[in-house]
Amino acid sequence: MGSKYHWQTANVKVSGVDDMVLLSKISEDAITENLRKRYNDDYIFTYIGPVLISVNPFKQLPYFTDREVELYQGAAQYENPPHIYALADNMFRNMMIDAENQCVIISGESGAGKTVAAKFIMSYISKVSGGGAKVQHVKDIILQSNPLLEAFGNAKTVRNNNSSRFGKYFEIQFSRGGAPDGGKISNFLLEKSRVVSQNAGERNFHIYYQILEGASSEQRENLGVTTPDYYFYLNQSGTYTVDDVSDKKDFAETMEAMSVVGLSGEEQDSVLQIVASILHLGNISFREENNYASVESEDFLAFPSFLLGVQQEALCSKLTSRVMDSKWGGRSESIAVTLNTEQAAFTRDALSKALYGRLFDYLVESVNKAMRKDHEDLNIGVLDIYGFEIFQKNGFEQFCINFVNEKLQQIFIELTLKAEQEEYVQEGIQWTPIDYFNNKVVCDLIESKSPPGVMCVLDDVCATMHAKGEGADLTLLQKLQGQVGSHEHFSSWNQGFVIHHYAGKVSYDVSGFCERNRDVLFNDIIELMQSSEFPFIRALFPENLDAEKRGRPTTVGSKIKKQANTLVQTLMRCTPHYVRCIKPNETKRPGDWEEKRVRHQVEYLGLRENIRVRRAGFSYRRVFNKFLQRYAILTPQSWPVWRGEQHEGVLHLLRSVNMDQDQYQLGTCKVFIRAPESLFLLEEMRERKYNGYARVIQKAWRKHVAVQKYVKMRQEASDILLHKKERRRNSLNRNFVGDYIGLDLHPEIRALIGKRERVEFADVVLKYDRRFRSVKRDLILTPKYLYLIGREKVKQGPDKGQIQEVLKRKIEIQKIQSVSLSCLQDDMFVVHEEEYDSVLQSVFKTELLSLMVKRYNEKTNKKLPLKFNNLLEFKVKKGGWGPFTSGGSRQIQFSLGQGDEAVLKPSGKILHVSIGPGLSKDSRPTRKDNRKSRYISHAHNPTPKQQHNTGTGDKCISRGRSLRQSSMEQPSLPRLHGNRQSILSPQQPQDMAFMEVPETGAAGLQRRKSKDVKPDPGRGRPKPSPKPRPRTPQCRAVWAYDAQDTDELSFNTDDIIEILTEDTSGWWFGRLRGREGMFPGNYVEKI
C-alpha cells in the first residue's frame, strides 16, 4: 500500500473524462460508459460543468482525509480531480465573496448515497470555517445532529441499509466573517407508518434496535426491553440486523449526540422511555367479544401504562372505546361508542405513530434550539431528502416521497435547462434551443387545484369520510378515474392507480390512502396523554381540546404540498449547486455494475441534455455592476470605481487581460463568459493584484513584528544575566538570528531532527570532554529537544572512509536539571543532566539561554535553574558498563586575566580559564532602534492557562438510576402469546420483481418519441467516403522508458508514438495513447 500513488497525483491512471462536457460523443451510452470506467477505478465523482455526479461506491474510499480538505480549500474547480469537497468549497467561497445565500440540492433514487454526500459537505464546511469556542459548539451540534436524526429517522429498506425516511433541509448560518454561528433544520414527512409495520426484508427505525442492543442491564430492566422478536412492531418483517452495522456502537453515538445537542440526562431518559413504550403498545392485541373489541391479555397493558405514566384502566378504555359528540339543534351530547377489533388496533397504532412523530419533532426542535441565533446574516442550505423509490407495494408514503422528488427534478429543469436558455434569449445572446422533457405536467397532475389533481381529489374524499373502512379508498379511485383518468401520465388498475413519473411508472395501492392522509388522532387519546404524570409526555400533546374547530382539518397531503412549495421558494432564493447521485447496483456490494440500471438513471436525470446545454452555453454570467465591483482592482482606470458606462467598463476589463473575443458575449445587462478557463484567467489576475498589495502590507507588518520581537528578546535575555554575569560588548546589542548554520542548505543535518520539529536555534559550538579537549559540534535547539551533532568516518560499506553526520546526544528539555555559567564575560556554560553533563562554548550563549529558559518553562511550568559561580563542577560520562559505575567529576576554575579571549590551562581534573573584565553585570541593551516599532517594557502579568473543556467530564455520570420516579410499581414483562409471533413465514417466497429496473420514465419516453419523428440522417443519402487524414510522423520504441517527470511519456518496446515536434536537444515531443509529453529521441526509431 505504501508504494501506491496518492489518487490526486499527476502519475495517477486516467479514467474516462473528469468533466463530461468534454466527451467526444454525447449519448446515454457514452455517459454510462464514462461513469463505468471511473467507477471501476474508484473515481466516483464526475462533473458536468458545475454539476457534480456522484456514484455510490458502497465502500469506504481513502480520499476524504485532512489532506484532501487542505488540497481543495481555496482551489479552483478544475485544479484538482472532481470531488464533493470542491463543490463545498465553491459554495463557501461564493457565499463569502458575493454575500449571497447558497444551497446544494442532492438528488437521486433511494440508496444512491445522498445522506453520505450531505455529511461530507457539512464536515468540510465545519473544517474550513473559522471561529472560537461558541462557534466550535455550533459545529459540534451540526455534526452530531446527523447520528441523532439518523437513529430516529432512518431505517433499513430493501433498497438501502440506511434509508432516510424523512426529508431534511439543514441551513448552516454564518456570521459575516464566515464563522458558522447558528443553524436550522426543517424536516418533512416522517414515514410514521413504519413504526407499526414494515415490508419483508426491512426494519423499523434504527433507534429500536439500538436500544435493544446497547442499553445497560439496568436500563433494560427499567424499560422492559428484550430481544426484537418479542415485539409485534419489530417481528413482522423477520429482519433484525444490518450487515456491517453495530447497533450497540451506534446507540453509544446516539446518546453522545443527545448530550451534545443539550438534552439533559432526565430528558434522554424520557426519550428512551417513550421509544420503549411504543414497543410495548404494539404487543397489546384484541379479541372479538359480542362484536366488540376487548384486550386479549391485560398483562400487556401494564408496561406501556407504566412507561407513559397513565392508569392501566384508562389506557384499556381509550383503546377499546371512543366518546363521540353529537349535536341536535342547539344541544350537544356525548356518546360512548365501543370499537371493534379492527378499530381498536387502528387506535393503538394511531397512538404509537403520534408518540413517535411528536418525539421526532421534539428532537428536531431541540437541535434547532441549541443552534438558534437572533438574526440571520448568511447561510448555506443542504437538502438531504428521501430518494425516488418503487417497492412491491407502494402506498401513500411512496406517493408523497415521489411527489417531492418530482418537485426537485422540476427545480433542476427550471434552473439548469429552462431558465438558462430563456436567459440567453432575453439577453440577446445567439442561441439554438435544445429540447428537453419538462416534468411540470406531472407535478400539476399531482398538486394542481384547477383542474383538480390527485391530492385535491384525495382531500375532498377525506373531508366526506366518517369512519375507517375500505369504502373511502374505493370512492377515491372512482373519483380519480373521473377527474384525471384521461391524463396522459395517469392510468388506473383494480387496486389503485399508476403515475408515469419522470423516473418511471409507479403503481400505487390505494388501500389506506385516505386514513393515512387524514392522520387523525382522536380527542380521547390526546386526553389520555395529557393525563400522564410525566411533564415531558404532557408537553408533547399541547392541544386545547376545548377550542372550537372551524374549517377542514389539515391533511398530510396538503401539508406536504405546502412544505414542498415552501422548500422550492427557499431554494429559489439561494444560489443553487447540484449533486446528482447514481446507484450502480441493487446488490449494495462494491464493484457491482448494472448497466441497464445506471443507463435508466442517466436517462431520467436528463444528463445528456444537461451536457448539451452546458456545451453550447456559457459557464459564467454576472450583471455588469457586480462584475465591475469584483474585478475593479485589475486596472487603475476601474479602481476603486469605474466612472463611465458599465458596458464599456466590462469591455475594458476583459481587454485588459487579453481575453479572446470568442470567449465572451455582452447581453443587455449581463456579461457571459464561455469557458471556465477564461474565468480562471480573470480570477488569477485578480489574485495576483491582491497578492501584490498583500505582500506590501505583510512586509510592513512583519518588519513591525520582527522589530518588536527581537528588541523584546534582547531585553528578556539581558534580564536573565542582569546582576549575575559580565557582558561582552558585541553581545549586548546584536540582533538574534536563530539559525547560524543555515539548515536550509544542510539537509543532512536536518534529517537527524524530527520531521515536524521547528528549529529555534542552530550554531556550531565547542564541546569539552573529560580531558578538556575541544571538538566541534552542531547544537540544535527545538521546542522539545537539545541536539548535539558530530561527524565520523564511515568504517564499512560502500561509503567507507567518507565523513557523515552522526547524532551524538539528544536531551529532552524537561530533563535538563540546571545550567551553570561563570560570573565573567566568557562564552562557556554547562548543561547538567541526570546521566552526565555537557560543557559547551558558544558566542551566542545569551540567545540560546533565553530560548532554553522559555521552552523549559513551557514544558514544566517551572523556571530553569541557572547557577552563576567562578568554580563550576560537572559530571563526566560513565567509564564502565556496569549500571552503578561512577563516571567521576571535573571542575572549571574561572579567574580575571587580560583581553577578551579566554585562556584555557588544563591541570589534572581542573580546567583553569582566565579572561579580562567585560561590561558591568548591570549592563542593559543600549541600542536605539530608529525603525517604527520599539518595544517598551511593561509590567507583564502572565495570563492563566485556559482550561480547555473537552466535554468529557460528565460522560461518566452514572446512568444506572431509575429512568423515572413513577408512582406506579414497575411491572414484570409478560409472556408472549404464540399467536403474536412474526406474521412473516421465513419459508414464504417473496416477489422481488419490483427491484428490477422500472419502465422508461416520462423524461426518457419524451426523448424517444422525439427520436422517432426525426428525419433520416443526410436525407437518406449514403455517406461520402472520408477524406484521408494528414499523416503524422511516427516512431517505434527500441527500448522501454519509464518517465522521470510528470511531463514525460512512459512506453514499452515496440510502442508506436506520434511525433509532434523534434528538438535538437534530443528530447522530442509526442503523443501516446491520447497523452502528450516529452520522450528521449535516442530510444526510438522513425517509421
Side-chain angles (χ1 to χ4, degrees):
M1 288 293 291
S3 61
K4 286 184 72 175
Y5 286 114
H6 183 265
W7 75 287
Q8 193 271 339
T9 57
N11 306 67
V12 84
K13 180 181 176 183
V14 177
S15 296
V17 295
D18 285 352
D19 191 334
M20 290 195 285
V21 171
L22 305 174
L23 284 173
S24 56
K25 182 181 179 184
I26 306 175
S27 67
E28 274 86 7
D29 290 334
I31 296 168
T32 305
E33 177 61 16
N34 188 68
L35 292 174
R36 184 192 65 76
K37 285 180 183 175
R38 295 179 63 75
Y39 173 78
N40 288 341
D41 288 329
D42 285 345
Y43 299 117
I44 61 171
F45 298 120
T46 310
Y47 290 132
I48 298 178
V51 178
L52 182 70
I53 312 299
S54 172
V55 183
N56 191 347
F58 292 108
K59 65 179 179 181
Q60 295 290 332
L61 290 172
Y63 41 80
F64 295 97
T65 65
D66 289 342
R67 175 178 177 180
E68 280 70 42
V69 171
E70 188 178 338
L71 198 67
Y72 284 89
Q73 188 176 359
Q77 179 177 326
Y78 293 98
E79 280 185 36
N80 298 309
H83 201 291
I84 199 160
Y85 286 171
L87 178 136
D89 189 74
N90 192 29
M91 272 199 304
F92 183 70
R93 281 192 295 142
N94 285 355
M95 179 192 72
M96 296 304 298
I97 291 167
D98 300 327
E100 292 177 355
N101 293 338
Q102 311 286 309
C103 70
V104 56
I105 302 171
I106 307 172
S107 57
E109 63 183 51
S110 182
K114 300 181 297 300
T115 299
V116 176
K119 285 183 194 174
F120 281 132
I121 289 171
M122 289 193 283
S123 171
Y124 179 86
I125 291 172
S126 174
K127 287 176 181 176
V128 301
S129 52
K134 182 185 175 185
V135 169
Q136 187 58 47
H137 177 63
V138 172
K139 288 181 181 181
D140 291 340
I141 295 170
I142 290 170
L143 297 179
Q144 288 293 332
S145 67
N146 282 319
L148 177 60
L149 296 183
E150 278 187 24
F152 286 85
N154 287 29
K156 170 184 165 53
T157 68
V158 291
R159 294 189 177 276
N160 184 359
N161 287 343
N162 187 33
S163 177
S164 298
R165 309 317 296 163
F166 73 108
K168 177 177 70 174
Y169 183 62
F170 202 134
E171 291 180 73
I172 307 172
Q173 298 168 348
F174 295 83
S175 66
R176 289 285 170 180
D181 55 357
K184 179 186 175 186
I185 297 175
S186 304
N187 64 304
F188 312 96
L189 187 70
L190 178 72
E191 187 189 29
K192 292 187 291 186
S193 63
R194 183 167 293 273
V195 174
V196 299
S197 66
Q198 308 88 40
N199 294 326
E202 300 191 349
R203 296 205 311 177
N204 208 316
F205 292 102
H206 293 325
I207 185 63
Y208 291 109
Y209 308 91
Q210 291 180 9
I211 288 180
L212 300 188
E213 287 292 322
S216 66
S217 57
E218 190 159 353
Q219 284 175 325
R220 295 173 73 85
E221 184 180 346
N222 292 332
L223 298 173
V225 295
T226 179
T227 55
D229 57 352
Y230 177 83
Y231 302 102
F232 179 66
Y233 282 165
L234 304 184
N235 66 25
Q236 297 172 64
S237 67
T239 301
Y240 307 117
T241 58
V242 180
D243 294 341
D244 302 323
V245 171
S246 169
D247 289 315
K248 185 174 183 178
K249 177 173 171 284
D250 289 348
F251 178 70
E253 290 181 3
T254 301
M255 299 306 292
E256 172 67 18
M258 284 195 207
S259 299
V260 171
V261 301
L263 293 187
S264 66
E266 189 177 347
E267 288 168 332
Q268 292 176 38
D269 292 340
S270 298
V271 170
L272 300 183
Q273 199 168 323
I274 291 176
V275 173
S277 72
I278 293 170
L279 287 178
H280 291 293
L281 279 173
N283 278 4
I284 301 173
S285 58
F286 305 94
R287 67 172 183 269
E288 196 86 30
E289 284 186 2
N290 301 323
N291 296 326
Y292 297 125
S294 66
V295 174
E296 192 165 9
S297 171
E298 294 198 358
D299 291 344
F300 287 94
L301 289 167
F303 240 111
S305 58
F306 166 72
L307 293 173
L308 292 173
V310 297
Q311 294 299 317
Q312 186 171 321
E313 297 77 14
L315 178 62
C316 180
S317 172
K318 298 299 183 184
L319 292 179
T320 56
S321 64
R322 182 183 309 156
V323 175
M324 300 185 68
D325 293 330
S326 63
K327 291 186 179 180
W328 297 88
R331 300 189 318 176
S332 62
E333 187 179 359
S334 296
I335 304 170
V337 178
T338 309
L339 307 178
N340 60 31
T341 54
E342 185 185 3
Q343 292 168 332
F346 173 79
T347 303
R348 175 202 66 201
D349 292 347
L351 172 57
S352 299
K353 291 189 289 185
L355 278 168
Y356 196 85
R358 294 175 187 227
L359 178 62
F360 186 79
D361 290 340
Y362 164 79
L363 292 172
V364 172
E365 179 55 30
S366 297
V367 175
N368 286 337
K369 187 178 176 183
M371 297 188 295
R372 190 169 291 142
K373 58 184 282 192
D374 298 333
H375 64 284
E376 189 176 316
D377 294 317
L378 299 167
N379 71 65
I380 290 177
V382 180
L383 180 63
D384 172 23
I385 209 158
Y386 21 57
F388 187 90
E389 59 189 23
I390 304 174
F391 293 125
Q392 184 177 358
K393 181 181 177 181
N394 300 289
F396 179 69
E397 283 79 10
Q398 278 67 48
F399 174 72
C400 293
I401 286 169
N402 292 341
F403 162 65
V404 174
N405 277 273
E406 201 78 55
K407 293 289 288 184
L408 291 183
Q409 177 70 1
Q410 190 184 4
I411 290 181
F412 186 79
I413 288 169
E414 284 281 341
L415 297 179
T416 61
L417 300 176
K418 183 172 181 283
E420 185 163 343
Q421 297 193 73
E422 288 176 352
E423 185 179 39
Y424 294 146
V425 175
Q426 290 169 2
E427 289 285 326
I429 303 297
Q430 294 179 358
W431 182 254
T432 304
I434 291 171
D435 292 330
Y436 59 92
F437 170 69
N438 191 339
N439 72 327
K440 188 176 186 299
V441 62
V442 183
C443 293
D444 289 343
L445 165 65
I446 297 172
E447 65 172 343
S448 175
K449 286 188 176 180
S450 180
V454 175
M455 283 187 167
C456 192
V457 174
L458 177 60
D459 285 350
D460 285 341
V461 173
C462 289
T464 57
M465 67 182 284
H466 300 290
K468 184 183 182 299
E470 296 175 357
D473 295 329
L474 189 60
T475 303
L476 169 65
L477 197 54
Q478 292 170 349
K479 284 201 169 188
L480 285 175
Q481 187 61 41
Q483 293 282 2
V484 296
S486 59
H487 197 286
E488 61 176 322
H489 294 279
F490 179 91
S491 59
S492 60
W493 57 296
N494 58 347
Q495 293 182 24
F497 59 91
V498 177
I499 289 183
H500 200 170
H501 289 281
Y502 75 100
K505 288 183 178 179
V506 183
S507 300
Y508 296 104
D509 188 333
V510 294
S511 175
F513 248 68
C514 294
E515 280 296 343
R516 289 176 179 177
N517 186 46
R518 284 177 72 198
D519 196 28
V520 174
L521 186 65
F522 295 110
N523 287 355
D524 305 60
I525 299 296
I526 297 173
E527 286 176 353
L528 177 67
M529 291 298 99
Q530 290 179 345
S531 71
S532 170
E533 63 179 79
F534 300 136
F536 186 91
I537 292 177
R538 293 199 300 270
L540 295 179
F541 293 84
E543 289 91 339
N544 181 5
L545 299 179
D546 297 329
E548 187 178 353
K549 294 180 181 177
R550 296 181 179 275
R552 273 189 191 181
T554 305
T555 62
V556 174
S558 60
K559 186 178 177 182
I560 195 66
K561 185 167 69 172
K562 182 181 178 182
Q563 286 179 329
N565 287 310
T566 303
L567 174 64
V568 168
Q569 291 169 7
T570 303
L571 296 174
M572 288 290 196
R573 287 195 294 269
C574 303
T575 302
H577 305 260
Y578 307 94
V579 180
R580 309 289 264 172
C581 296
I582 287 180
K583 187 177 184 180
N585 61 62
E586 280 294 348
T587 62
K588 300 191 275 283
R589 287 201 303 262
D592 287 3
W593 181 267
E594 297 175 17
E595 189 83 11
K596 187 179 178 184
R597 181 171 300 281
V598 176
R599 194 184 188 285
H600 175 71
Q601 294 171 76
V602 166
E603 188 177 79
Y604 76 65
L605 289 172
L607 300 189
R608 188 182 70 142
E609 289 77 6
N610 196 205
I611 294 172
R612 290 181 63 202
V613 170
R614 201 72 212 168
R615 252 181 144 166
F618 297 82
S619 66
Y620 175 86
R621 73 283 321 268
R622 263 291 182 273
V623 291
F624 290 154
N625 64 335
K626 284 201 171 184
F627 184 86
L628 284 169
Q629 185 180 344
R630 177 150 184 80
Y631 299 108
I633 198 169
L634 294 182
T635 67
Q637 294 84 351
S638 56
W639 179 262
V641 178
W642 174 261
R643 302 195 180 279
E645 289 288 331
Q646 290 184 346
H647 183 276
E648 293 297 323
V650 172
L651 275 176
H652 166 74
L653 287 174
L654 293 171
R655 287 167 181 162
S656 72
V657 296
N658 299 316
M659 188 179 292
D660 295 339
Q661 289 189 4
D662 63 348
Q663 285 297 305
Y664 63 86
Q665 283 195 48
L666 270 60
T668 54
C669 61
K670 286 185 179 180
V671 55
F672 294 82
I673 295 176
R674 190 175 299 279
E677 292 78 11
S678 301
L679 179 63
F680 297 158
L681 170 67
L682 279 167
E683 286 293 319
E684 187 179 346
M685 297 297 288
R686 180 177 178 273
E687 285 295 321
R688 286 182 183 177
K689 288 285 185 180
Y690 274 110
N691 283 346
Y693 294 132
R695 285 194 183 98
V696 172
I697 297 169
Q698 285 175 347
K699 186 177 178 182
W701 174 250
R702 283 173 178 163
K703 179 180 177 182
H704 166 79
V705 170
V707 169
Q708 277 192 328
K709 177 183 174 183
Y710 288 113
V711 171
K712 183 179 178 181
M713 280 178 67
R714 279 203 307 270
Q715 184 74 51
E716 289 174 346
S718 174
D719 290 345
I720 292 172
L721 304 180
L722 189 66
H723 309 309
K724 297 170 184 174
K725 185 174 174 68
E726 294 179 0
R727 302 296 306 276
R728 286 180 174 272
R729 288 174 178 79
N730 295 334
S731 169
L732 203 59
N733 292 312
R734 70 173 188 83
N735 284 333
F736 288 175
V737 175
D739 182 5
Y740 298 94
I741 294 176
L743 289 180
D744 290 341
L745 303 176
H746 294 281
E748 68 280 1
I749 300 176
R750 195 69 179 82
L752 296 173
I753 304 165
K755 282 186 179 179
R756 298 186 178 276
E757 286 194 76
R758 184 179 74 253
V759 174
E760 299 197 327
F761 181 85
D763 182 28
V764 178
V765 301
L766 291 178
K767 178 189 173 296
Y768 293 90
D769 63 11
R770 66 176 65 220
R771 294 188 178 88
F772 305 116
R773 293 175 301 190
S774 65
V775 62
K776 285 186 178 180
R777 293 280 187 261
D778 293 330
L779 183 147
I780 313 290
L781 178 69
T782 72
K784 293 182 179 180
Y785 298 103
L786 181 72
Y787 295 89
L788 288 174
I789 297 170
R791 284 154 183 80
E792 289 181 354
K793 274 188 180 182
V794 179
K795 296 180 180 178
Q796 56 186 3
D799 297 329
K800 184 177 179 181
Q802 293 186 16
I803 302 294
Q804 71 174 16
E805 286 70 21
V806 178
L807 180 62
K808 291 291 186 179
R809 194 158 191 207
K810 180 180 178 181
I811 305 173
E812 289 186 52
I813 296 294
Q814 62 265 36
K815 289 189 177 179
I816 296 175
Q817 294 177 333
S818 63
V819 177
S820 298
L821 303 95
S822 76
C823 301
L824 305 180
Q825 66 160 328
D826 62 279
D827 295 324
M828 299 181 75
F829 58 97
V830 182
V831 178
H832 298 279
E833 202 246 358
E834 185 177 359
E835 190 179 355
Y836 64 95
D837 304 333
S838 294
V839 180
L840 306 171
Q841 182 176 349
S842 170
V843 293
F844 306 120
K845 65 183 180 307
T846 308
E847 180 179 352
L848 171 62
L849 200 61
S850 66
L851 290 169
M852 286 174 66
V853 168
K854 282 184 185 176
R855 298 300 157 246
Y856 185 86
N857 180 257
E858 288 173 3
K859 291 289 181 184
T860 64
N861 288 327
K862 298 176 183 176
K863 287 186 177 180
L864 177 64
L866 300 178
K867 300 175 181 178
F868 297 88
N869 200 305
N870 286 337
L871 178 62
L872 304 182
E873 188 169 344
F874 63 95
K875 292 179 293 185
V876 296
K877 197 171 184 179
K878 295 174 184 177
W881 292 99
F884 304 106
T885 306
S886 173
S889 64
R890 303 287 187 273
Q891 290 182 334
I892 308 176
Q893 177 71 57
F894 294 88
S895 58
L896 272 174
Q898 300 294 322
D900 291 334
E901 292 296 323
V903 179
L904 281 63
K905 292 182 179 178
S907 175
K909 293 186 176 183
I910 300 175
L911 175 67
H912 296 277
V913 180
S914 63
I915 192 169
L919 296 178
S920 166
K921 296 178 183 179
D922 300 331
S923 300
R924 285 182 174 274
T926 57
R927 173 175 155 191
K928 301 272 186 185
D929 269 293
N930 296 321
R931 292 166 285 188
K932 290 185 179 179
S933 300
R934 187 177 174 196
Y935 173 73
I936 302 173
S937 178
H938 294 286
H940 179 62
N941 297 317
T943 57
K945 290 191 74 173
Q946 293 181 352
Q947 298 296 320
H948 294 286
N949 182 10
T950 60
T952 59
D954 298 330
K955 281 187 185 176
C956 298
I957 294 175
S958 171
R959 305 279 293 158
R961 63 182 184 278
S962 175
L963 291 178
R964 277 302 178 90
Q965 295 299 321
S966 173
S967 61
M968 305 177 212
E969 184 180 346
Q970 180 172 330
S972 59
L973 205 60
R975 186 184 297 274
L976 191 66
H977 296 295
N979 63 343
R980 294 291 288 170
Q981 291 292 338
S982 170
I983 62 171
L984 178 73
S985 171
Q987 288 79 25
Q988 183 180 349
Q990 293 297 317
D991 179 11
M992 302 300 286
F994 69 94
M995 297 290 284
E996 295 175 3
V997 180
E999 289 185 40
T1000 304
L1005 193 65
Q1006 172 83 8
R1007 184 183 294 108
R1008 290 181 188 179
K1009 282 181 181 176
S1010 66
K1011 287 179 181 176
D1012 294 340
V1013 297
K1014 285 183 179 177
D1016 293 332
R1019 298 187 177 86
R1021 298 170 189 162
K1023 287 192 289 187
S1025 56
K1027 294 180 181 179
R1029 293 177 60 186
R1031 189 169 181 275
T1032 308
Q1034 295 178 324
C1035 60
R1036 178 183 286 105
V1038 179
W1039 295 284
Y1041 178 73
D1042 290 326
Q1044 306 297 308
D1045 209 338
T1046 54
D1047 61 348
E1048 296 176 16
L1049 291 177
S1050 293
F1051 49 83
N1052 296 316
T1053 308
D1054 295 329
D1055 277 351
I1056 304 299
I1057 305 171
E1058 291 182 58
I1059 303 172
L1060 301 180
T1061 55
E1062 298 179 38
D1063 195 271
T1064 53
S1065 66
W1067 284 92
W1068 296 357
F1069 190 72
R1071 183 188 297 118
L1072 175 62
R1073 291 186 282 273
R1075 188 163 184 261
E1076 296 181 356
M1078 308 289 289
F1079 63 96
N1082 58 338
Y1083 274 59
V1084 300
E1085 61 180 7
K1086 285 190 176 181
I1087 301 174

